[in-house]
Amino acid sequence: MVPDDVALLKRIVSNPKVLGGKPIVRDTRLPVSLILNFVANGMTVEEICKEYPQLEDEDIRAALVFAEKVTEGEGVLDENVADFVKPLVL
């Protein structure tokens, strides 16, 4: 895994108490799937960040890297998440 990917993936967390454990951007309730939908429908990073000012460009990149790792069958694990947050192992 590329070192930059590891840093980006730390922005994606899963907490069973938030949206049923769906992968979300840390410190938000925005699921990765929503960001992927925006990108798939032609929104730019700038448009997404304007609509959701709590997001940063790196959050959008993190969602895309997460999707790439999942579709490639690679495990995604964030060892730095708090105990109450379920690590993302897919």
Side-chain angles (χ1 to χ4, degrees):
M1 192 177 305
V2 180
D4 191 41
D5 288 355
V6 173
L8 286 172
L9 288 172
K10 291 182 180 186
R11 293 174 169 269
I12 306 299
V13 298
S14 178
N15 180 336
K17 295 180 182 180
V18 179
L19 295 178
K22 289 181 181 180
I24 60 171
V25 176
R26 70 175 179 200
D27 301 326
T28 74
R29 295 181 62 83
L30 297 172
V32 168
S33 60
L34 179 66
I35 294 169
L36 296 176
N37 183 281
F38 290 153
V39 172
N41 284 289
M43 286 182 77
T44 65
V45 171
E46 293 79 19
E47 290 170 331
I48 296 169
C49 290
K50 184 177 179 181
E51 186 75 25
Y52 295 91
Q54 68 269 41
L55 293 177
E56 299 174 357
D57 295 2
E58 291 83 8
D59 295 324
I60 310 307
R61 290 182 49 222
L64 294 170
V65 168
F66 178 82
E68 184 261 333
K69 299 300 180 195
V70 169
T71 59
E72 288 296 320
E74 296 183 29
V76 180
L77 173 64
D78 184 355
E79 297 173 355
N80 296 318
V81 296
D83 290 340
F84 69 93
V85 176
K86 179 177 67 175
L88 297 173
V89 182
L90 306 173

